[in-house]
Amino acid sequence: KGAHGNDWAKETVLIEGFKPLNKSSSELSNQGSVMRRPHLERGMSLEFTLKLEKSKAPKNFGKGAHGNDWAKETVLIEGFKPLNKSSSELSNQGSVMRRPHLERGMSLEFNLETGEKQSSQKLWEGSSWERLGKARGRTMDRANSFIGSATSSLVAESSMAAVSSDLENLANVVVVVDPFSTGAHLAAEVCRSGYKCCRVFSSWDSPVAALVQQGINIDYCATVQHNNTKKDLEVAIEETTRTLLDLPFNIVAVLPGAETGVELADQLSWRLRLRSNGIQQSLARRNKFHMGETVRQAGVRAVRQCMCHTIEEMKYFFATELFPAGEDRGPFKCVVKPVESAGTDDVFLCQTLEEAETAFNRILGKVNGLGLLNEVVLVQEFLAGQEYVIDKVSRDGVHKLVAVWKYDKRSVNKANFVYFGMSLMPTDSEEIQALVAYADRILDAVGIQQGPSHMEIMLTWVTSSEGKRVPDPCLVEVGARCHGGEGTWLPLTVECIGYNQVSVTLDAYLSGTLFNSLPKDSYALKRSAREVDMVSRHGGIVRALPGENIIRELPSFRSINWEVKPGDYCAVTVDCFTRPGCVQLVNDSEDACQRDLETIHDLEMMGLIDYSVICPKPPAVGAVVVVDPFSSGANLAAMVLQWGYKLILVFSEMDSPVAKLVSKGTNVKPTLMVQHDNNHPNQDFAIAQTLSAIDQEGSPILAILPGAETGVELSDRLAARYGTRSNGEEFTEARRNKYLMQEVVRAKGLRAITQKLCRSETEVLDFLGELQQQQSKDDWKCVIKPNESAGTDSVFLCTSQEEALKAFHLIHNQLNGLGQRNDGALCQEFLRGSEFVIDGVSRDGVYKVVAIWQYDKRSVNGANFVYFGMHLRDGQVPDPEIAALLKYARSVVSALSIHHGPSHMEVMSCVSADGAFNPCLVEVGSRCHGGEGSWCPVATECVGYTQLDVTLNCYIRPDRFDAIPFEPRLQSAGCEAFLVAHEEGVLKDIPGIQQIRSLGSFRRLEMMTQPGAILRPTIDCFTRPGSVQLVNKSNEALLADYNTIRGLELHGLFQLL
């Protein structure tokens, strides 16, 4: 603990271990199997207990007690999932594509039966609806054709020999946009009715596509991919419209299959001049906030609400509208939810301001259940009453009722709106007729004149002026699409009413015969029905489903649909996306039907699911590969294990000094260690061998990351060839080679340093001659350094030809601090200004700066660039110098194609003749900030996060990455003071330590020497004797403590013999 009680003990192993070796000699001391600094004995060391090998993991590794193989399933739950928006990629593990946030056990299967009448039981057990299961879990089967690509608007697959080869002249086609969930049933109904079906996907590489599965027999005549990634959405819609028109079919209708397809279906149907709701009110039919406001403007009762971008906006809404001062609105209650989602996904009932703030932070920046990024949060009044569903179908403004459902939502598992089931309701009561009439006004208000509608309404009661208690409905939300829930409820309406919303919807767009035959506001309910949503009260690995046999014996039982299976991880149910399954019940008796529903829920605590392991998180997870885990890479590797993932270490060099830094003494134990053969003459073959060794472990690989500068090139190549998130190989060498790095930046039109890579004295002298022509002959300077190294290793400031040639010979063909032989010396102009570090993390080209450090480098002990410290700077406080640096850094990252993962950039803030800031790159590494990670606690306390955890978030927890701001905001002032030794000799004592610990800003001290060791003058970061981490609310107090340390270095810190 520091002077202020901060407990950083857990950080110690990460910071103390994997130290870079002393660079001054560039040699490694081998003490047994432990590599140590030549001049000191470190107190902490690290040990990896698994043998370096390329062999397979143990046969049963990753299997549970009953042999269930969880390895392929778990990563999909833990978070490298195909989240939309910021990543816009789908993760394909083998042939399996999953929902972003959960593993579903049921596959989607159609066999296109004719639908003739059968007995009730046969209708359930043998119907296409029953075998449909859930629209989750397997790779999209692009059945006959696929149209639309990132580079071409019309591309036919080989399976589409000739899209019209088996057609008569211009067959009639119905287009279904996003045919998943109940939309898949709608597509099946199209085919069963004798029409061809064309499917359109509304989002490029969307999670929606992953919900259209193998095993279906729907004969899609074409598949069109709408490119929603285009900047000009109008152009994208026009391209999709033209693609549809170019098909050799007669398009007769365009229908939305799911919530995500509503807006595009509106656009396409309107442009094709088909039956359509038009586009004028399309936003109000998709966006919950605009929906409510449109209803209010039409003079219809609507919920009080506010669309909030910040917590301050939410608080203002509370103070001015929901709970104004001086008015008694009852106890604090509100609903906080996403503006666009479904299925009670992240819908929170909040009863305190603190709960509302927590809900707001949970929602904002998260990718929701439909794969959409929550960019705002919807805050609404809490409606106390009973919630109903009104399912209707409209044709030319005439709205026909097809079903009324009464929701059963309860508070459970720390969630307030968990579906327990829904009941099919008769239509002859006063309250139901009030709901039906209110629903018509809603449909008219939002412009739903054609097709299906799925409306949720809260029924409350008020007292009229006559003193009579009357129903007072209020809209929750309405969707211009069919009732979802994967359509498992469809057979209920067929048996109990005689038709369903899907069949009526298709008919309303086509002939209208069935639609015209139906009553407008009622139906005859023949039997009682329930859809029961099973609720998992535990998280764990499913061993068996014993409750199924009990459920099947219930008098009302019709069908059961499981969304988990033995071997799956079953999450705690908090919304409709996390239910383990559902059951359909039908009975002549309303009471008997309800009793069976309660029997099912009674099983949930014990008896429904047998868990081999009950655990809040999946016990088996994917793996992260770290290449060369030393310096801050050691922290990164340890963090992987702390987060619960498997760790695979790869060493980039045979007999590498990096491998020798893996020492005894800690519990950092990777799943596998792999040695890459960098000496093999065919490096493509060697990389393939390394990938094979990684793959044999058996775990899905979530990320391949460089742990240090030496691992950058190999990690780039491994990630690109493995197929995980990578920066590609085109600029790999430029991201490692400092000379090429500057030339690529220059070629992109950015300011770059004047330089030359020299391999002879003649080349050095030629460069100096060119440099003197550009600068004053009397005041010229140049920098000479290795082309590939780190930490001011052998970086020389030269003011004469003699100094430059001497520096050249000290570098060229010598071993550097990373154990590599220098090929030539890099000669560069000397940049005047303040040097900064810009630490960033990128994901799909979205670059976020996570820390800004200002270096304190000075000339001392005969060396020109000695680190004295670095100070954090605020990225959100207006400052023209910082703004210029951040703008330049973004351009450099883009120029070098660092689209994914960390970047550590050193930039000189130069000032041009006109006084403007003109930054220039010193160098950038596509890895985390090094310095042995001793800066991590300072960043954590001052910023709230570090580059290390943001790096892991960008690969495996993208919703957390999305929540990070684009620039850091400081909560406190912070710095790291690097201790500088000015004398040489044997240490007797370090008396200044106690004075440093008593400083008001003191947080942590790390010494790299000890009494009895030889103290040498500090000339670079490899020879510093220690470092001190300082944090203070006051920047002035922080600087005073920092300067106190500088004084102690001269007098009082060290005592020599």
Side-chain angles (χ1 to χ4, degrees), residues 111-126:
N111 71 354
L112 272 189
E113 296 187 355
T114 60
E116 295 91 3
K117 291 184 178 179
Q118 307 175 63
S119 68
S120 294
Q121 196 62 34
K122 286 184 178 180
L123 173 68
W124 289 90
E125 300 295 346

Side-chain angles (χ1 to χ4, degrees), residues 699-852:
S699 297
I701 303 301
L702 311 185
I704 299 177
L705 305 171
E709 187 68 24
T710 53
V712 168
E713 182 173 353
L714 181 59
S715 65
D716 268 356
R717 301 197 188 283
L718 291 174
R721 299 183 193 191
Y722 187 87
T724 188
R725 193 177 298 277
S726 79
N727 290 314
E729 298 184 70
E730 181 182 0
F731 292 100
T732 290
E733 191 174 358
R735 290 190 288 266
R736 183 75 182 88
N737 182 297
K738 297 175 185 178
Y739 173 79
L740 291 178
M741 180 186 300
Q742 294 282 350
E743 295 309 308
V744 169
V745 169
R746 194 189 324 278
K748 295 291 184 178
L750 301 174
R751 184 183 177 188
I753 202 166
T754 302
Q755 63 173 7
K756 185 173 184 178
L757 181 59
C758 302
R759 296 182 174 87
S760 68
E761 287 189 355
T762 301
E763 290 179 332
V764 173
L765 294 174
D766 289 343
F767 173 76
L768 295 181
E770 296 170 5
L771 194 62
Q772 289 174 10
Q773 293 178 4
Q774 300 174 15
Q775 303 179 5
S776 169
K777 290 186 178 181
D778 297 326
D779 188 30
W780 69 270
K781 293 180 180 180
C782 74
V783 174
I784 300 183
K785 62 183 181 181
N787 192 29
E788 296 184 32
S789 190
T792 66
D793 169 38
S794 297
V795 179
F796 298 95
L797 175 62
C798 305
T799 57
S800 68
Q801 290 185 355
E802 292 75 19
E803 288 179 355
L805 293 175
K806 181 179 178 181
F808 169 77
H809 288 295
L810 287 172
I811 295 172
H812 178 48
N813 209 31
Q814 303 300 312
L815 288 177
N816 61 36
L818 298 177
Q820 299 170 333
R821 193 165 297 280
N822 296 320
D823 179 19
L826 185 57
C827 301
Q828 297 180 327
E829 69 173 309
F830 172 70
L831 296 172
R832 290 174 170 84
S834 298
E835 188 173 0
F836 288 78
V837 167
I838 311 295
D839 289 333
V841 180
S842 303
R843 189 175 193 276
D844 293 336
V846 177
Y847 174 69
K848 295 191 174 183
V849 176
V850 296
I852 305 167

Side-chain angles (χ1 to χ4, degrees), residues 549-566:
N549 291 333
I550 299 173
I551 291 171
R552 286 183 174 274
E553 295 300 316
L554 295 174
S556 308
F557 175 78
R558 285 296 182 270
S559 183
I560 186 169
N561 297 270
W562 287 104
E563 297 170 15
V564 295
K565 62 182 183 300

Side-chain angles (χ1 to χ4, degrees), residues 74-321:
T74 309
V75 187
L76 307 169
I77 305 167
E78 277 299 285
F80 77 138
K81 285 81 66 175
L83 300 181
N84 196 17
K85 283 309 185 189
S86 59
S87 79
S88 68
E89 291 188 5
L90 288 175
S91 299
N92 190 346
Q93 298 301 310
S95 63
V96 181
M97 298 178 78
R98 308 282 186 187
R99 269 202 134 147
H101 58 289
L102 63 146
E103 166 64 63
R104 312 303 268 180
M106 297 295 292
S107 61
L108 177 64
E109 296 181 328
F110 285 83
N111 71 354
L112 272 189
E113 296 187 355
T114 60
E116 295 91 3
K117 291 184 178 179
Q118 307 175 63
S119 68
S120 294
Q121 196 62 34
K122 286 184 178 180
L123 173 68
W124 289 90
E125 300 295 346
S127 69
S128 59
W129 311 127
E130 164 65 8
R131 290 199 298 276
L132 171 66
K134 304 290 169 241
R136 300 169 177 143
R138 295 200 180 168
T139 307
M140 178 180 69
D141 179 17
R142 294 174 173 172
N144 293 6
S145 63
F146 196 82
I147 298 171
S149 73
T151 57
S152 173
S153 63
L154 181 59
V155 178
E157 287 188 347
S158 59
S159 59
M160 184 183 178
V163 75
S164 59
S165 62
D166 62 336
L167 302 175
E168 298 177 359
N169 294 334
L170 293 182
N172 288 334
V173 167
V174 173
V175 175
V176 180
V177 182
D178 290 347
F180 79 107
S181 188
T182 306
H185 297 266
L186 184 59
E189 184 75 15
V190 169
C191 295
R192 186 170 59 235
S193 299
Y195 292 85
K196 297 290 182 180
C197 185
C198 168
R199 58 184 169 183
V200 173
F201 295 132
S202 65
S203 297
W204 197 269
D205 283 339
S206 163
V208 174
L211 295 172
V212 183
Q213 320 300 335
Q214 287 181 337
I216 64 173
N217 295 319
I218 296 176
D219 191 15
Y220 289 109
C221 63
T223 300
V224 174
Q225 174 67 72
H226 173 67
N227 190 353
N228 67 310
T229 64
K230 279 185 174 291
K231 291 184 178 179
D232 191 333
L233 295 180
E234 282 293 311
V235 172
I237 293 169
E238 284 294 337
E239 288 179 355
T240 301
T241 304
R242 286 197 301 271
T243 299
L244 290 172
L245 288 171
D246 288 342
L247 295 174
F249 308 116
N250 177 38
I251 298 175
V252 296
V254 178
L255 290 73
E259 186 70 23
T260 52
V262 169
E263 286 186 83
L264 183 57
D266 280 349
Q267 288 279 356
L268 295 175
S269 59
W270 180 73
R271 291 167 189 257
L272 293 171
R273 298 184 180 182
L274 299 169
R275 192 176 297 276
S276 175
N277 288 316
I279 60 174
Q280 185 175 359
Q281 293 178 285
S282 188
L283 182 61
R285 295 189 286 270
R286 184 74 182 85
N287 182 289
K288 296 174 185 178
F289 174 79
H290 292 288
M291 181 186 300
E293 296 310 299
T294 300
V295 169
R296 193 187 326 279
Q297 291 169 11
V300 183
R301 164 88 157 97
V303 69
R304 286 179 294 177
Q305 62 178 359
C306 182
M307 187 164 59
C308 303
H309 298 80
T310 65
I311 288 179
E312 286 69 27
E313 289 180 359
M314 180 175 69
K315 289 179 178 178
Y316 182 79
F317 174 62
F318 290 154
T320 57
E321 291 197 44

Side-chain angles (χ1 to χ4, degrees), residues 527-559:
R527 311 186 77 184
S528 296
R530 299 285 188 280
E531 165 117 3
V532 184
D533 294 287
M534 291 184 278
V535 177
S536 174
R537 309 301 179 98
H538 309 285
I541 302 300
V542 178
R543 180 187 182 190
L545 303 169
E548 179 170 341
N549 291 333
I550 299 173
I551 291 171
R552 286 183 174 274
E553 295 300 316
L554 295 174
S556 308
F557 175 78
R558 285 296 182 270
S559 183

